[in-house]
Amino acid sequence: MAMLRQPGPRNAIPLMLLMLVGFAAPLLAVIGFSLVPARSFSLWQMPTLENYAGVFSGTNYISFVYSLVFAALTVIVLAVVCYPVALGLVRVFGKWSMFMSLLFTIPLFVSENVRLYGWVLFFIKNGVLLGTLKTIGIEPESWLFTQSIILFGMVYVYLPFMLFPMTLGISMVPKETRDAAFDLGATRWQVFREVDLPLSMPGITIGFLLSFVLAVGAIAEAKVLGGQRIIPVTHDIEIAFTYAQNWPMGSALSVLLMLVVGVLVLVVLRRFDLDTILGKK
Amino acid sequence: MTRSQSTIHGPILELRKLTRTFGALTAVNAIDLDIAEGEFFTIVGPSGSGKTTMLRMLAGMEQATSGDILLRGKRINDVPANRRPTCMVFQSLALFPHRTVGQNIEFPMKIRGVDPAKRKERALQLMRQLRLPENYYGKNVTKCSGGERQRVALARALAYDPEILFFDEPLSAIDYKLRKTLERELKDIHRETGKTFVYITHSLEEAMVMSDRIGVMQAGRLIQVGTPNQIYSTPTNRFVSEFIGDVNVIPVHIGPNGKLISDDFAAEFSVPKIPVGFTGGHLVVRPEFVRFLGSGDASENRLTGRVYNEYALGSRIQYQVRVGEAVFIVEKLRQQAYTGGLDDEVAIGWSGADSILVSD
Amino acid sequence: MMERRTSRRSFMQQSAGLAALAAGVGGLSARAFADRSKELNILCWEGYNSAQVLDPFRESTGATVKAESLTNDPTMIDRLRAGETKVWDLINVNNPWARKVMFPEKLIKPLDRASMEPYFEKMLPMFKPPYKWAMDDSGKELLGMCQRFGPYSYVVNTDKISRKTAEDQGWDLFNDAANAGKYGILDSADWNVFNICVIAGFDPFKPRGEAEVAKFTETAKKVFKNAKVVGDIATMNQALIAGEIDFHMTGGTYSASPARADGHQNIRGITPLKGPLEGGKGGISWIEVTSTVNNPDLSPLAVEFLKHVQDPAVAHTVAFAEGTFNPVAQMANPDCFKLFTKDELDAIQWDSLDEEMARSVEYDVVPDYDKLLEIMNSAKREVSGG
């Protein structure tokens, strides 16, 4: 307890308690609930793994697969979309590129649901897009309530989380290093492959991880734009905790989701260790 | 004179009215220059003089606004950097931090599709030539010391097998002792490879050690081109003379009697020859040419002052002599040190042949 | 290259900053224990939590009134089961829960019959005392007060499907393969289960056999697979108005009223003429019962509030509180009815309210609800993406 007489640890106690109560306690509660019999509301029961077994024997795995597949697709599309944009920002705005990419986060100040409903009004029949097209005699099928618009929504919502780290990563590539590679005979493509890509890898990796982790937790895109054409695992968790009143199942799904994301983050960070990428080891 | 005359042939690189402007600023202003094959040519100038812009145009990383760059008589203005048989060693060295020493050196060969075994053989050969230990082949470049990285950068450039190597102040961030070593090594490598080196630096001292010829740049213009000896002994203007190091500069003009006089000193100055049309300018005298005069010693130029202070510069000693309001610098070898006390009145003088008269 | 260390550090800092921004800051709430005579907590469907209803009560009593709105009966009841009887004073859910679940489980306590029954006298005829859903099984205890109600089956755009066709064809609308991709489903767990049972051809409120469960499973998959969109009330109305869908399952005055009040009279709740329900009926209706929670420290304001909302003017406000609009039992009182404008009566389909209620059975508790809900959710997952 001598440690507690030092001002540093002593002053940290309130924060530590807050972290414990605010972070660890709910997590432990979720883990605890995942181990009690289905549809019960009390933690003090014989632990069981039936909820976990239920995820795989039932149909809940489907929503897991959808969440993972759509998150992966989102990351792929974001990579293809954001890399040229980030490259352009860095080339055009130089040291201001970080600031410019931060401007892309301004929409984050508006609720995600509001922004998505905005897209509904844009894409809905007789809405902004189709209504305008109708006046010039074109009447295509509505894009709303399809799988592809869910992907569109996710790409739209998570774009800043890919763009910002990517811009950061690309702006970290020294211009002279690229010049040197070009001067040593490399073509533009070879400069990209041999210098730009590996040196901006930390930013790309962070962008991939950040947008994947967030996209796996996406729910509003499938609900609002997709009209529930797919049920992501987060929606399944919500159903379990609300309509189905099956907290243990919701908890088991939450724990599994955390495990999947946690393992993925660890694996990626181990394989693409930032220090290794940056040549510190 | 340490010029490697034997390797100098016709011009490999010719610049004709080469100009580069950035908006209203003319960074490089109508430069004409021939660089001979196998030559070690150094462009020296203060920062902002346009030397880096010029080098980047030669390497193909910057477009010329006007004028021509000819390589063996062929205009190469529009050939991009990756297709020019030239290679640059950058100030930052621009090594690839995510690659090993070996991968850095092999980069240009990998780009060209050279067989991996041959690449490695050549890389190890270059490492030997540059005194890099063989076990550094797999070492990450960021783990190398400053001097080792210089050698890796040079090895990588040599692996490209360029006809001309450009150097953009690669030694400027290195400490004095290591810089001196690397300067000599670079000159040795120049001798061994026989390639044309074009080097830029803000240090004339560095230029003197290595170069066959030096071009002095000021505000986008080449104001003097010559051998180190020519630059040192016959600077064509005050800027060049002052750029070389500590010099005594006396403002002079033609007096009523046709002799050189100064408003600052009650003396007449003797030079071998006053150019036709000279009305006024500066008289430049190097500190090592100034002598302390004994009572009986005769001298073409003579001033009287007091020794104010002395500074030891290793093998030499520098003295500050105050003549009225003006300060003179006198430099002597240790063996010829001044023996009098501070504040003693002394006479100093120099031979007319050691005076340089510049018109600006 | 030499800048590597510092730029990496700043990179990490900036990334961390963004992550913090993304994570947001969670708040903690603490409940203070205070004298409960000036405090009232209501767990309810939306409407009772609106400022229009609560503010006058707050002003007249000087009390702190907190209301939380949920859109699902079982969820609210599970909140009480999870120990929140200590928190809430009033609970507002649909008709069967007080009688069949909450009172037997001692989650609510009875009201004083003598002081409350006179209010029932002034309600529409169907609520005359002793009104079944307001009483316990023994018929002795008064368990709650009635106010909002309505028929709730499906909603059509009458420009696309006439009211007559919709009423005649009934739930087979959703069995017709030609309607695939033309309808939506209002996301509402328990009501979706009722509707799928009815579409499958059996009464959800009666015990059933394996064959019916199998039919339910098959129907759930088909109905969700053929739906164009599943969503909330706003999504359904928007999709109906825009023409994305022609009709949607699970809906009635409650869900269609916002669109109708907005001038879209072509959006109409429909009660089918016939169906597999008790007495050959095809529609289901709901009646809200508001009860006092079995709170050990019940606020004296709970009963006051129940009386307050019986007032003609307040009842009208409840009917047209923000969100959705509904008929109220107090409309039998001329003092209350005269407050409704023609547009308001149109919005709640007053013209057909009596006949629709007559064609509907009352919301009830479904045997094996959890099992059917699980089957339905599973079916949703299985057909998702299809």
Side-chain angles (χ1 to χ4, degrees):
Chain A
M1 285 290 107
M3 212 183 91
L4 290 184
R5 279 185 220 113
Q6 291 166 352
R10 200 172 57 220
N11 290 341
I13 289 173
L15 186 70
M16 296 298 285
L17 284 177
L18 189 75
M19 294 292 279
L20 220 59
V21 171
F23 186 76
L27 196 66
L28 288 175
V30 166
I31 293 171
F33 264 112
S34 73
L35 297 172
V36 302
R39 285 177 225 290
S40 44
F41 297 93
S42 167
L43 271 174
W44 316 117
Q45 305 180 60
M46 265 308 280
T48 167
L49 288 173
E50 66 176 64
N51 301 305
Y52 291 98
V55 171
F56 298 101
S57 63
T59 50
N60 293 89
Y61 75 92
I62 296 175
S63 44
F64 247 108
V65 170
Y66 267 114
S67 279
L68 293 173
V69 167
F70 270 74
L73 287 174
T74 303
V75 169
I76 292 167
V77 175
L78 276 175
V80 174
V81 170
C82 289
Y83 203 89
V85 175
L87 208 61
L89 282 175
V90 173
R91 298 284 187 274
V92 174
F93 295 104
K95 60 179 177 174
W96 289 99
S97 57
M98 289 323 302
F99 175 75
M100 295 306 291
S101 75
L102 270 177
L103 292 184
F104 282 84
T105 63
I106 286 178
L108 296 182
F109 290 104
V110 178
S111 140
E112 183 181 330
N113 276 339
V114 171
R115 286 182 288 143
L116 292 176
Y117 275 114
W119 283 117
V120 169
L121 295 179
F122 183 81
F123 284 117
I124 202 168
K125 252 189 189 171
N126 299 308
V128 178
L129 179 67
L130 295 183
T132 312
L133 287 177
K134 201 176 177 180
T135 59
I136 54 168
I138 307 169
E139 286 191 68
E141 276 295 300
S142 162
W143 192 29
L144 270 187
F145 315 133
T146 60
Q147 290 190 55
S148 52
I149 202 169
I150 297 174
L151 187 61
F152 163 83
M154 289 171 71
V155 166
Y156 161 74
V157 167
Y158 300 112
L159 184 112
F161 300 96
M162 181 67 97
L163 187 66
F164 184 83
M166 243 185 192
T167 310
L168 202 54
I170 292 174
S171 69
M172 279 167 52
V173 181
K175 185 180 183 301
E176 285 206 334
T177 312
R178 280 188 290 112
D179 282 348
F182 186 60
D183 188 46
L184 288 164
T187 59
R188 296 282 170 204
W189 168 246
Q190 284 168 323
V191 172
F192 171 77
R193 212 187 52 206
E194 299 285 336
V195 177
D196 282 307
L197 203 56
L199 285 183
S200 53
M201 220 33 174
I204 296 173
T205 308
I206 294 286
F208 270 48
L209 268 188
L210 201 58
S211 47
F212 185 85
V213 168
L214 290 169
V216 161
I219 179 166
E221 295 78 10
K223 275 184 163 183
V224 176
L225 288 177
Q228 300 186 21
R229 284 331 293 155
I230 65 160
I231 313 252
V233 67
T234 36
H235 191 183
D236 233 6
I237 292 170
E238 188 188 90
I239 290 172
F241 273 105
T242 57
Y243 290 150
Q245 284 299 299
N246 194 349
W247 294 7
M249 176 52 93
S251 300
L253 285 170
S254 306
V255 171
L256 280 176
L257 183 61
M258 284 189 280
L259 275 178
V260 168
V261 170
V263 166
L264 183 95
V265 169
L266 285 179
V267 166
V268 171
L269 282 187
R270 179 162 288 193
R271 287 218 38 201
F272 294 92
D273 184 274
L274 283 184
D275 282 335
T276 312
I277 294 163
L278 292 168
K280 288 279 174 200
K281 275 182 191 159
Chain B
M1 280 264 293
T2 52
R3 295 174 57 183
S4 37
Q5 296 277 14
S6 56
T7 60
I8 295 181
H9 310 286
I12 184 170
L13 201 59
E14 297 162 74
L15 316 188
R16 298 286 171 260
K17 298 259 168 295
L18 189 64
T19 302
R20 170 72 204 191
T21 58
F22 296 103
L25 174 83
T26 305
V28 173
N29 196 348
I31 285 182
D32 283 302
L33 176 69
D34 286 3
I35 294 172
E37 178 118 38
E39 187 174 23
F40 196 132
F41 189 91
T42 300
I43 300 160
V44 64
S47 58
S49 59
K51 57 189 193 302
T52 297
T53 305
M54 180 165 132
L55 196 71
R56 288 180 64 85
M57 281 194 282
L58 301 186
M61 285 170 234
E62 196 84 61
Q63 276 291 314
T65 308
S66 63
D68 299 314
I69 305 166
L70 307 177
L71 181 79
R72 297 191 201 287
K74 272 177 77 178
R75 189 173 182 277
I76 56 161
N77 286 43
D78 302 321
V79 179
N82 62 344
R83 307 252 291 279
R84 291 189 190 186
T86 62
C87 192
M88 171 113 101
V89 176
F90 290 82
Q91 182 165 15
S92 69
L93 303 180
L95 292 173
F96 305 128
H98 54 302
R99 299 276 190 255
T100 62
V101 168
Q103 287 170 330
N104 264 276
I105 298 172
E106 288 178 20
F107 182 83
M109 295 185 278
K110 184 183 170 191
I111 290 297
R112 233 178 284 157
V114 176
D115 172 69
K118 283 195 180 142
R119 270 179 358 212
K120 182 165 185 186
E121 191 188 320
R122 173 71 179 138
L124 290 171
Q125 186 191 346
L126 283 164
M127 285 170 70
R128 271 194 302 279
Q129 189 177 0
L130 287 156
R131 271 160 270 172
L132 282 163
E134 192 165 321
N135 61 5
Y136 272 44
Y137 182 83
K139 188 172 178 171
N140 196 300
V141 275
T142 54
K143 293 271 184 271
C144 294
S145 73
E148 287 159 2
R149 287 205 291 239
Q150 295 282 343
R151 294 188 179 109
V152 176
L154 184 55
R156 185 179 70 175
L158 287 170
Y160 183 65
D161 198 20
E163 295 187 33
I164 307 175
L165 261 116
F166 298 115
F167 297 86
D168 182 6
E169 307 205 42
L171 302 182
S172 60
I174 303 265
D175 67 75
Y176 182 82
K177 191 159 173 272
L178 180 59
R179 190 166 72 231
K180 289 287 143 201
T181 311
L182 291 171
E183 280 170 4
R184 284 186 199 126
E185 281 186 21
L186 195 59
K187 183 144 185 164
D188 294 347
I189 294 291
H190 176 244
R191 177 93 206 271
E192 282 167 35
T193 58
K195 292 188 186 295
T196 309
F197 281 24
V198 179
Y199 193 99
I200 68 171
T201 177
H202 61 271
S203 161
L204 192 62
E205 193 193 344
E206 196 171 296
M208 292 275 181
V209 174
M210 298 186 289
S211 316
D212 293 322
R213 280 195 305 153
I214 295 170
V216 181
M217 248 184 123
Q218 184 194 15
R221 289 180 174 279
L222 261 184
I223 51 176
Q224 188 173 3
V225 177
T227 62
N229 200 28
Q230 286 165 340
I231 299 282
Y232 186 78
S233 53
T234 52
T236 52
N237 68 6
R238 190 181 163 194
F239 175 82
V240 176
S241 68
E242 286 185 322
F243 199 71
I244 292 167
D246 295 325
V247 286
N248 297 303
V249 180
I250 307 161
V252 291
H253 55 88
I254 307 283
N257 57 356
K259 301 261 185 170
L260 274 180
I261 58 166
S262 173
D263 291 341
D264 298 353
F265 305 98
E268 288 178 355
F269 296 100
S270 161
V271 292
K273 184 171 172 260
I274 298 173
V276 182
F278 181 87
T279 52
H282 289 88
L283 190 67
V284 179
V285 187
R286 302 214 161 271
E288 63 268 32
F289 293 146
V290 183
R291 287 169 289 145
F292 290 106
L293 301 175
S295 52
D297 291 350
S299 177
E300 288 167 285
N301 295 289
R302 184 187 190 95
L303 291 167
T304 307
R306 289 176 191 281
V307 176
Y308 184 76
N309 221 338
E310 62 174 51
Y311 317 99
L313 304 177
S315 62
R316 290 154 303 132
I317 301 171
Q318 201 178 68
Y319 300 94
Q320 190 195 125
V321 178
R322 292 201 170 168
V323 180
E325 293 292 300
V327 170
F328 260 75
I329 297 164
V330 180
E331 229 169 76
K332 290 287 126 209
L333 289 172
R334 245 174 216 291
Q335 300 92 307
Q336 301 154 357
Y338 167 70
T339 49
L342 294 182
D343 285 333
D344 287 357
E345 192 174 275
V346 289
I348 54 172
W350 65 90
S351 152
D354 293 333
S355 315
I356 303 153
L357 194 60
V358 293
S359 57
D360 60 344
Chain C
M1 187 181 66
M2 323 202 172
E3 309 290 338
R4 206 110 287 258
R5 185 181 289 276
T6 53
S7 46
R8 174 165 166 262
R9 187 184 312 135
S10 62
F11 169 77
M12 296 306 283
Q13 281 167 350
Q14 291 172 65
S15 291
L18 187 79
L21 188 77
V25 182
L28 288 172
S29 72
R31 201 183 309 282
F33 287 93
D35 174 16
R36 302 224 58 222
S37 67
K38 288 287 178 197
E39 184 191 316
L40 180 66
N41 294 327
I42 309 172
L43 191 59
C44 58
W45 281 77
E46 83 272 18
Y48 284 110
N49 62 332
S50 73
Q52 296 148 280
V53 175
L54 297 180
D55 281 351
F57 187 73
R58 286 178 179 129
E59 273 166 40
S60 65
T61 60
T64 307
V65 183
K66 207 188 97 189
E68 185 173 335
S69 150
L70 295 175
T71 54
N72 182 261
D73 295 329
T75 308
M76 289 193 238
I77 292 157
D78 281 327
R79 294 276 291 266
L80 296 190
R81 284 179 181 144
E84 291 190 18
T85 45
K86 288 191 282 289
V87 176
W88 305 104
D89 298 300
L90 289 172
I91 179 165
N92 159 252
V93 285
N94 283 309
N95 44 317
W97 299 102
R99 178 187 177 95
K100 292 193 171 177
V101 175
M102 292 196 291
F103 187 64
E105 290 187 28
K106 298 199 164 38
L107 298 172
I108 54 173
K109 49 178 120 181
L111 295 167
D112 174 40
R113 282 183 77 161
S115 61
M116 301 310 275
E117 267 184 5
Y119 291 105
F120 280 88
E121 300 285 354
K122 290 186 193 163
M123 292 185 194
L124 291 166
M126 62 183 280
F127 300 98
K128 292 291 182 222
Y131 176 58
K132 179 190 169 194
W133 292 115
M135 309 302 289
D136 78 330
D137 281 338
S138 70
K140 283 185 188 141
E141 304 285 6
L142 178 65
L143 300 182
M145 300 298 288
C146 297
Q147 189 148 45
R148 302 187 291 191
F149 68 97
Y152 210 54
S153 295
Y154 46 87
V155 176
V156 304
N157 177 345
T158 52
D159 292 347
K160 303 285 179 68
I161 299 173
S162 74
R163 180 180 163 191
K164 182 165 188 316
T165 309
E167 285 180 346
D168 288 348
Q169 199 175 350
W171 292 100
D172 279 339
L173 275 172
F174 300 90
N175 282 319
D176 188 344
N179 283 336
K182 288 187 182 168
Y183 64 89
I185 297 174
L186 175 55
D187 198 8
S188 168
D190 44 359
W191 287 92
N192 291 162
V193 169
F194 306 164
N195 294 164
I196 288 169
C197 290
V198 179
I199 294 167
F202 62 89
D203 185 339
F205 307 121
K206 289 201 175 123
R208 65 195 69 83
E210 285 301 317
E212 274 135 341
V213 172
K215 191 84 201 310
F216 180 89
T217 310
E218 178 200 324
T219 307
K221 282 186 195 168
K222 181 183 71 189
V223 167
F224 276 98
K225 188 172 175 59
N226 288 343
K228 175 157 194 188
V229 49
V230 180
D232 56 14
I233 292 177
T235 304
M236 288 305 123
N237 283 327
Q238 199 170 36
L240 279 173
I241 293 164
E244 291 274 355
I245 55 173
D246 296 343
F247 57 105
H248 77 81
M249 188 181 94
T250 303
T253 15
Y254 165 72
S255 72
S257 56
R260 293 177 65 83
D262 214 24
H264 299 282
Q265 296 289 325
N266 54 335
I267 310 301
R268 187 172 183 99
I270 298 289
T271 304
L273 296 178
K274 55 185 190 307
L277 296 159
E278 183 74 38
K281 291 182 180 181
I284 303 171
S285 64
W286 53 274
I287 303 102
E288 283 177 359
V289 177
T290 309
S291 311
T292 47
V293 174
N294 189 12
N295 188 327
D297 189 15
L298 184 73
S299 167
L301 294 173
V303 174
E304 289 310 304
F305 186 79
L306 288 178
K307 291 177 179 169
H308 169 76
V309 296
Q310 299 296 323
D311 175 82
V314 180
H316 173 252
T317 309
V318 168
F320 275 82
E322 66 190 35
T324 59
F325 314 130
N326 303 285
V328 289
Q330 290 72 20
M331 285 171 88
N333 182 346
D335 289 340
C336 181
F337 188 79
K338 72 180 181 202
L339 297 172
F340 287 79
T341 65
K342 185 187 173 297
D343 285 348
E344 286 174 345
L345 292 174
D346 279 347
I348 58 175
Q349 297 178 213
W350 182 253
D351 58 337
S352 62
L353 185 63
D354 285 345
E355 53 175 303
E356 287 194 67
M357 287 303 286
R359 291 206 293 263
S360 301
V361 301
E362 288 148 334
Y363 178 123
D364 208 339
V365 177
V366 175
D368 284 340
Y369 169 72
D370 287 343
K371 184 177 163 195
L372 293 188
L373 182 66
E374 181 54 45
I375 292 172
M376 186 182 81
N377 283 335
S378 191
K380 270 171 91 171
R381 278 192 288 269
E382 277 179 59
V383 303
S384 78

